[in-house]
Amino acid sequence: MAPGGSACKEVESYPAVADYAIATTKPESNSMTTKSSFGFVGKHGIQSNNGVYELLECPVCKNLMYPPIHQCPNGHTSCLNCKNRVHNCCPSCRYDLGNIRCLALERFAESLELPCKYHSLGCHEILPYCSKLKHEQHCQFRPYNCPYAGSDCSITGDIPTLIAHLKDDHKVDMHDGCTFNHRYVKLNPHEVENATWMLTVFKCFGKQFCLHFEAFQMGMAPVYMAFLRFMGDDSEAKKFSYCLGVGANGRKLTWQGIPRSIRDSHRKVRDSQDGLVVQRNLALYFSGGDRQELKLRVTGRIWKEA
């Protein structure tokens, strides 16, 4: 038994957490230099030569460790999250981890500068080790999630990849043009399920926009909602505006706004009511007839702000 250590019960093993692969190129003469002479090309952005990768990899989750880095009396290290996951028991030797910090490894990590793990997708930032994680959470080159809301789709990628995926796998309608005139029909409008009715992708100004239309419960009241999302980052989305309208019998309900980026989830946009919201009674009035069938025609256009 190690001095100051106590044996603890066997702990279950945890699977490794996957990460994105990184491919780096040889830096040009005028590019930013690193404090360390190591090359960084591994899956976390670190080359495995000289044991750098092994030093900074958490033995439990297989992700890079960031301060505070803890160690057991035998010198085995663990990240803070996994220290809690394994109930303060060293996954390597089963002794208590306690609150011993590996200050030497923390200082070594702080001396490193690494490329963003989305380097292969176009990001050329060279970052201090401890700033890398925060940058990657907001990096403009990070992959987008699939914007299709009708299923829990796990596909991620750049915009061209997602366009092909929406067309081939989700059979989404693709249209060119900045105006739309769509008719939505539901035979039994009194059955409102939390499901997307339709997603249509429009290409205009060289960009892609997702038009959503769906039915869901807002509290106890069933509503219908149409809204637009921009296939790109929020900074680009703010360069555009759109309007939506629905009506009949001499009445019209309109909405004007800025498309939300697909960085914001479909549910986040829907729950914020950032779009054209139509109460069911009004929707049935617009539909006419005996109110036994929903027939809504949604019109609108997209324009670019000067």
Side-chain angles (χ1 to χ4, degrees):
M1 181 179 297
S6 62
C8 56
K9 64 181 180 179
E10 189 78 11
V11 296
E12 59 181 319
S13 61
Y14 293 86
V17 178
D19 209 336
Y20 293 95
I22 299 302
T24 61
T25 57
K26 183 177 180 181
E28 298 176 359
S29 59
N30 62 346
S31 63
M32 185 181 298
T33 59
T34 63
K35 297 177 184 177
S36 170
S37 61
F38 298 115
F40 304 106
V41 296
K43 71 171 184 176
H44 296 294
I46 301 181
Q47 197 172 31
S48 61
N49 59 329
N50 297 315
V52 178
Y53 173 83
E54 289 80 5
L55 281 173
L56 293 173
E57 182 186 66
C58 174
V60 180
C61 66
K62 304 302 180 182
N63 285 328
L64 294 177
M65 295 184 291
Y66 293 86
I69 300 173
H70 289 84
Q71 67 176 9
C72 75
N74 287 327
H76 302 124
T77 55
S78 172
C79 71
L80 180 60
N81 287 338
C82 290
K83 177 178 181 288
N84 297 326
R85 289 173 65 187
V86 297
H87 310 294
N88 209 39
C89 186
C90 176
S92 298
C93 66
R94 304 299 189 258
Y95 286 109
D96 285 335
L97 281 168
N99 292 309
I100 305 173
R101 295 273 294 274
C102 187
L103 299 180
L105 189 56
E106 289 183 9
R107 290 169 181 165
F108 170 69
E110 290 170 355
S111 72
L112 301 177
E113 290 184 339
L114 299 86
C116 172
K117 72 176 180 179
Y118 302 122
H119 181 96
S120 62
L121 299 179
C123 182
H124 299 295
E125 292 286 338
I126 303 296
L127 307 152
Y129 183 85
C130 292
S131 302
K132 180 175 180 287
L133 193 61
K134 183 176 181 180
H135 163 83
E136 290 169 350
Q137 291 173 347
H138 302 282
C139 179
Q140 63 175 323
F141 294 97
R142 70 191 188 279
Y144 294 92
N145 295 321
C146 172
Y148 192 79
S151 63
D152 295 326
C153 185
S154 60
I155 296 296
T156 63
D158 58 14
I159 299 303
T161 298
L162 291 184
I163 291 295
H165 165 66
L166 288 171
K167 181 178 179 181
D168 297 337
D169 298 329
H170 294 300
K171 310 303 179 185
V172 171
D173 290 334
M174 303 284 172
H175 296 273
D176 290 329
C178 299
T179 61
F180 36 88
N181 187 339
H182 281 242
R183 189 170 183 239
Y184 301 96
V185 178
K186 184 171 177 62
L187 297 179
N188 188 354
H190 298 284
E191 293 181 358
V192 179
E193 65 281 356
N194 288 307
T196 297
W197 284 15
M198 183 174 290
L199 170 64
T200 308
V201 173
F202 292 88
K203 181 180 180 181
C204 61
F205 302 106
K207 305 293 183 179
Q208 284 79 25
F209 300 81
C210 297
L211 176 63
H212 296 266
F213 184 83
E214 66 178 82
F216 65 98
Q217 295 279 358
M218 185 181 292
M220 297 298 294
V223 298
Y224 307 99
M225 183 174 177
F227 57 92
L228 199 71
R229 287 201 293 166
F230 174 74
M231 296 192 71
D233 279 343
D234 185 62
S235 58
E236 284 290 312
K238 291 177 179 177
K239 298 177 182 179
F240 300 91
S241 293
Y242 75 102
C243 63
L244 295 171
V246 60
N249 301 323
R251 294 165 177 80
K252 188 174 185 180
L253 189 63
T254 61
W255 162 268
Q256 180 173 321
I258 298 171
R260 296 278 286 271
S261 166
I262 60 172
R263 295 287 190 200
D264 289 335
S265 69
H266 157 269
R267 181 175 293 276
K268 180 178 180 179
V269 179
R270 190 195 74 179
D271 291 350
S272 68
Q273 302 175 41
D274 192 3
L276 177 66
V277 179
V278 186
Q279 302 294 328
R280 183 171 67 181
N281 286 339
L282 184 57
L284 292 174
Y285 181 79
F286 288 154
S287 299
D290 56 5
R291 298 166 63 92
Q292 298 303 309
E293 185 178 52
L294 180 73
K295 296 179 181 178
L296 284 181
R297 184 173 296 279
V298 177
T299 61
R301 70 182 182 94
I302 307 166
W303 65 92
K304 191 171 185 178
E305 296 292 349

